Amino acid sequence: MSQRTQELTDAEWAIIQMVWEHEPVPAPTVQELLEEQRGWSYSTVKTLMDRMVKKGLLTTERIRNLMLYTSAITRQEAQSKEILKTLKRAFEGALTPMMQFLLESDHITHSELDELEALIRAKKSK
Amino acid sequence: MSQRTQELTDAEWAIIQMVWEHEPVPAPTVQELLEEQRGWSYSTVKTLMDRMVKKGLLTTERIRNLMLYTSAITRQEAQSKEILKTLKRAFEGALTPMMQFLLESDHITHSELDELEALIRAKKSK
DNA sequence: TGACATTCTTTACAAGTGTAAAGTAGTCTT
DNA sequence: AAGACTACTTTACACTTGTAAAGAATGTCA
């Protein structure tokens, strides 16, 4: 059980985000947190979370009758995996074209550009 | 049929990459091109491609007995969709953290950094 | 014209995903 | 102790995805 290098599905992303922010957290709380955003019923959330435990994405600890869920992978790990997937699939592994694409997409503000410039400069001087 | 704003699966990415590079292209050719990489049989490739037609990702044109496939979305559209998905899922829509993550992650070379810097500067002056 | 070869079509099937209803069990309140 | 809450468990079901075998149709060469 639980070979990690799993990919997260969309539903799993929604859930694990909440877990990262609130862990250790019981399923009902996660359901409430996602109510608005997704409109999932308790059953749905609980089912998803239990599947995630089986996959090794979350772990549980039982306190009396309450199950508390905790993430089993870090946000960084998950982000990294996700980005690499996109990089491989859509850009055939080439990082610069992907960055370029991001820059060119119109969703970037002037101040974000400044920030990035600073980041690059910092990176270069290292 | 064929509302577009579909996401591509992994198999679909593999196929459409070949289509972009060789279109208009018949299924057997795509199968040969992917033989090495994926080891898919003709049936598999053909099934996938026909599903993609149904989804509006590819179109076909029949010449006598040969079906030629052509992409119905551009590489840019697909890349954009893919990146936005990652951005939304994994970075809650925040572009700078994602770029930062990319910068900090792997082996960006010095010259790539230069390139990016230039891109940013160009973008800013626009 | 019959035998190959090539390509297309039909059908299938298991695993994974999104979604949840219904039933059960334990806890709290009066 | 009965009823009401709350949380957990079981079961289900349709749709998508990866994978392909088997059969049908068409074209080609001897």
Side-chain angles (χ1 to χ4, degrees):
Chain A
M1 286 60 307
S2 77
Q3 243 57 263
R4 185 56 347 47
T5 304
Q6 206 97 110
E7 318 229 312
L8 302 203
T9 68
D10 205 60
E12 288 169 347
W13 267 108
I15 285 175
I16 206 168
Q17 297 273 12
M18 292 305 163
V19 174
W20 282 324
E21 279 171 38
H22 300 273
E23 65 192 336
V25 65
T29 303
V30 173
Q31 191 269 318
E32 282 157 29
L33 289 166
L34 290 171
E35 182 78 75
E36 190 79 351
Q37 207 178 115
R38 301 283 179 139
W40 285 329
S41 73
Y42 169 76
S43 280
T44 299
V45 172
K46 178 72 168 154
T47 302
L48 288 170
M49 293 180 81
D50 288 340
R51 285 184 190 160
M52 290 171 80
V53 170
K54 207 169 267 167
K55 289 192 189 180
L57 297 170
L58 302 179
T59 55
T60 50
E61 174 198 8
R62 180 176 216 121
I63 295 196
R64 320 264 350 152
N65 285 298
L66 197 60
M67 294 277 247
L68 293 180
Y69 292 78
T70 309
S71 60
I73 57 172
T74 66
R75 187 175 233 137
Q76 282 67 39
E77 284 166 355
Q79 287 177 329
S80 169
K81 185 131 352 118
E82 188 75 23
I83 283 198
L84 287 191
K85 185 179 64 184
T86 294
L87 195 57
K88 223 160 256 168
R89 280 186 172 176
F91 293 85
E92 293 171 295
L95 201 130
T96 318
M98 177 156 151
M99 299 273 285
Q100 195 165 342
F101 195 93
L102 280 170
L103 283 176
E104 256 139 44
S105 74
D106 294 314
H107 314 294
I108 205 163
T109 67
H110 205 286
S111 66
E112 282 177 318
L113 286 174
D114 285 342
E115 240 182 286
L116 286 173
E117 221 180 0
L119 280 171
I120 289 176
R121 220 170 282 127
K123 178 91 183 173
K124 278 171 81 173
S125 69
K126 236 185 291 175
Chain B
M1 289 57 323
S2 77
Q3 243 57 265
R4 185 53 347 48
T5 305
Q6 207 96 107
E7 320 228 310
L8 303 204
T9 68
D10 205 60
E12 288 168 349
W13 268 107
I15 284 174
I16 207 167
Q17 296 274 12
M18 292 306 163
V19 175
W20 283 323
E21 280 171 39
H22 301 272
E23 65 192 340
V25 64
T29 303
V30 174
Q31 192 268 319
E32 283 157 29
L33 289 166
L34 290 171
E35 182 78 75
E36 190 78 352
Q37 208 178 114
R38 302 283 180 139
W40 285 329
S41 72
Y42 169 76
S43 280
T44 299
V45 172
K46 177 72 167 154
T47 302
L48 288 170
M49 293 180 81
D50 289 340
R51 283 185 191 160
M52 290 171 79
V53 171
K54 206 169 268 167
K55 289 191 190 180
L57 296 170
L58 302 179
T59 55
T60 49
E61 175 197 8
R62 176 176 219 123
I63 295 195
R64 320 258 5 148
N65 285 298
L66 197 60
M67 293 276 248
L68 293 180
Y69 292 78
T70 308
S71 60
I73 58 172
T74 66
R75 188 175 232 135
Q76 283 66 39
E77 284 167 354
Q79 287 177 329
S80 169
K81 186 129 354 117
E82 187 75 23
I83 283 198
L84 287 190
K85 184 179 65 184
T86 295
L87 194 58
K88 225 160 253 166
R89 280 188 171 173
F91 292 86
E92 292 170 295
L95 201 132
T96 318
M98 178 156 150
M99 297 276 285
Q100 193 166 346
F101 196 92
L102 280 170
L103 282 176
E104 251 138 45
S105 69
D106 261 295
H107 347 286
I108 275 200
T109 66
H110 204 285
S111 66
E112 282 177 319
L113 286 174
D114 283 343
E115 233 183 289
L116 286 172
E117 221 179 1
L119 281 170
I120 289 175
R121 221 169 280 129
K123 179 87 185 176
K124 278 171 80 173
S125 69
K126 235 185 287 174

